[in-house]
Amino acid sequence: MSQPAVPPDFPEVVAAFPLEGRLVSAGPHGNGHINETYQAAFEASGGRRRYVFQKVNHHIFRNVPALMDNVRRVTAHVASKVMAEEGAAAARRSLTLVPARDGAAFAQDAAGGYWRVYDFIEGAHTVDRVTNEAQARAAARAFGKFQAQLADLPGARLHETIPNFHHTRSRFETLRRAVGDDPAGRAGAVRAEIGFAFAREADADRLLGMLGRGEIRERVTHNDTKINNVMLDDATGRTVAVIDLDTIMPGLPLYDFGEMVRTSASSTLEDDPDPSRMHVKLPLYRALVEGYLGSEVGAVLNDAERAELGFAGKLMTYENGMRFLTDYLQGDTYYKIRHPRHNLERCRTQFALVRSLEEAQDEMARIVAETHGRP
Ligand code: ADP
Ligand code: GN1
Ligand code: MG
């Protein structure tokens, strides 16, 4: 197999960071939808060492210096907590930023692109789909613990790296505008999906209403708790570190839990082209509830938040389905796609999961009540 590509200006990017040794290999890495991720290996006197180079998508993240300020604060805070708990073994339990030669948390290339470097977390991997209950429980425990670690983050309110990121009313209005403008001429062919989204408009306001009434509160949240944003140990399968910190900002814990349900209690991949294969798997849902409420965040959540753990999965799946549909209508400007119907297929599979979650609401409520759902 030939060496996979890196951008032509990669050597200049590498030179902006004080890394020891000679670059011996580099290539694309991971499976994210947003950033460009590469791994690079260096040969130095002390041996071989790998790093992750990421070009942050600044069309999506409009203020990268602010984003990197969040990342710097969050990685330092989490590292100090993990260090206090685990000592030297903590090195791979959180992302470690490598500052650029000028001390900044990122470097810019000649075209104005933003690059950052993390230590490579060795001996670990990510999965795009949960395959067993132990994995779901462990991922939920890791994300729950991570949220609890951020509960006492010192300093000012974090920057909103994408304004209104999980503001479902705003996501709904963006979809409505895309349907009206129809810039790619695709709306006529997706009336069923548009109708599905519009029929659930009231759901868009449910958590926002609770927030407005003070029943639930804003906290520091991860906001992208997809299963492939937690690294798992190659040997034991245990969770190693929560990654992908770009959307850490003020949010609702229910967004994080809902995103776990969407990606970790579902029967197939997010972009399975056959929506009939997609449904909620209740044993995985139970494992998520147990892992999440059994983690340190269990002591942080109030009763109103617990009561919405069933709805949260539906809301985030609905939101993601709307976002994929919006991107399809807008001509595929946001997510990386591999073929022209990719976003539409993702939308259909998400909406199939919404339907399945609706059918399972009572049972999910029972599972929450049976677990640690009551104080
Ligand atoms: P995106 O926002 O595009 O999803 P991520 O930060 O999640 O970007 O990175 C993409 C993938 O790269 C991850 O799913 C993971 O497999 C891998 N990855 C990211 N950071 C590291 C790291 N520090 N060590 C090893 N692998 C990593
Ligand atoms: C994106 O970056 P990645 O692939 O982890 C997206 C999430 C979506 C997800 C859908 C910044 O996540 O919000 O839920 O795709 N991230 C951003 O797979 O938009
Ligand atoms: Mg990711």
Side-chain angles (χ1 to χ4, degrees):
M1 212 161 55
S2 64
Q3 177 68 46
V6 290
D9 61 351
F10 196 65
E12 290 140 56
V13 173
V14 169
F17 293 88
L19 303 171
E20 216 190 302
R22 187 174 60 88
L23 177 66
V24 287
S25 75
H29 189 70
N31 211 4
H33 291 348
I34 304 295
N35 295 317
E36 285 177 39
T37 304
Y38 305 91
Q39 59 93 18
F42 292 74
E43 206 73 68
S45 49
R48 194 163 171 271
R49 211 166 152 178
R50 288 202 288 173
Y51 297 90
V52 165
F53 281 73
Q54 281 188 317
K55 186 175 184 186
V56 182
N57 185 328
H58 68 269
H59 303 290
I60 287 179
F61 298 104
R62 307 308 286 260
N63 186 346
V64 180
L67 179 155
M68 289 309 297
D69 192 49
N70 283 1
V71 169
R72 196 184 42 74
R73 286 173 57 193
V74 165
T75 49
H77 185 69
V78 173
S80 74
K81 295 237 157 170
V82 181
M83 194 65 84
E85 248 177 53
E86 300 188 28
R92 67 202 269 272
R93 302 303 306 266
S94 64
L95 281 174
T96 306
L97 262 180
V98 179
R101 285 188 191 280
D102 64 2
F106 59 88
Q108 280 188 278
D109 60 27
Y114 292 87
W115 289 83
R116 69 173 164 226
V117 177
Y118 288 120
D119 284 345
F120 195 98
I121 299 178
E122 297 288 354
H125 63 280
T126 50
V127 295
D128 291 325
R129 205 187 126 200
V130 164
T131 45
N132 60 66
E133 290 159 42
Q135 211 173 45
R137 194 175 292 107
R141 201 180 293 125
F143 281 124
K145 177 174 185 155
F146 185 78
Q147 265 182 1
Q149 284 169 334
L150 293 174
D152 61 351
L153 181 77
R157 187 172 185 266
L158 289 177
H159 306 284
E160 285 192 47
T161 58
I162 299 180
N164 292 328
F165 189 57
H166 285 313
H167 195 285
T168 28
R169 166 53 56 185
S170 143
R171 293 289 185 190
F172 184 90
E173 295 307 331
T174 307
L175 170 62
R176 202 202 310 264
R177 268 198 308 280
V179 172
D181 298 347
D182 195 17
R186 290 171 164 178
V190 294
R191 285 289 155 208
E193 289 73 21
I194 295 168
F196 185 96
F198 283 9
R200 286 157 180 79
E201 180 175 358
D203 286 335
D205 295 324
R206 176 151 150 183
L207 295 189
L208 293 169
M210 292 176 73
L211 182 64
R213 292 190 296 275
E215 294 160 19
I216 56 180
R217 50 166 288 215
E218 178 186 285
R219 304 176 193 277
V220 175
T221 49
H222 182 285
N223 295 305
D224 191 5
T225 52
K226 269 164 74 162
I227 187 63
N228 63 12
N229 286 331
V230 61
M231 307 259 342
L232 309 174
D233 189 272
D234 289 344
T236 64
R238 294 170 77 151
T239 55
V240 175
V242 168
I243 61 166
D244 202 344
L245 313 179
D246 298 331
T247 52
I248 294 195
M249 56 184 150
L252 301 181
L254 287 165
Y255 297 151
D256 282 2
F257 185 75
E259 190 62 17
M260 286 179 227
V261 175
R262 181 181 83 79
T263 61
S264 302
S266 46
S267 56
T268 188
L269 288 172
E270 149 185 289
D271 48 7
D272 188 328
D274 180 359
S276 74
R277 283 196 285 248
M278 179 56 106
H279 56 265
V280 60
K281 293 186 96 169
L282 289 173
L284 292 178
Y285 178 77
R286 182 186 290 277
L288 287 179
V289 175
E290 287 171 359
Y292 188 62
L293 292 181
S295 79
E296 290 78 350
V297 86
V300 174
L301 300 180
N302 69 22
D303 285 358
E305 286 168 325
R306 284 159 192 268
E308 296 302 318
L309 289 173
F311 175 70
K314 178 188 167 191
L315 182 72
M316 295 312 293
T317 311
Y318 172 50
E319 183 196 291
N320 275 275
M322 283 200 289
R323 291 175 62 192
F324 289 134
L325 182 56
T326 303
D327 200 32
Y328 183 70
L329 291 169
Q330 289 175 337
D332 308 312
T333 60
Y334 189 93
Y335 297 106
K336 288 184 200 161
I337 54 163
R338 285 189 297 277
H339 58 85
R341 290 167 68 80
H342 204 161
N343 273 318
L344 178 59
E345 287 180 0
R346 287 167 170 156
C347 159
R348 288 186 171 148
T349 298
Q350 293 300 292
F351 284 171
L353 182 57
V354 168
R355 211 182 278 282
S356 167
L357 288 163
E358 285 173 350
E359 286 162 10
Q361 280 302 303
D362 290 350
E363 233 168 317
M364 289 163 70
R366 194 166 52 74
I367 289 169
V368 174
E370 280 171 10
T371 315
H372 312 260
R374 302 298 332 138

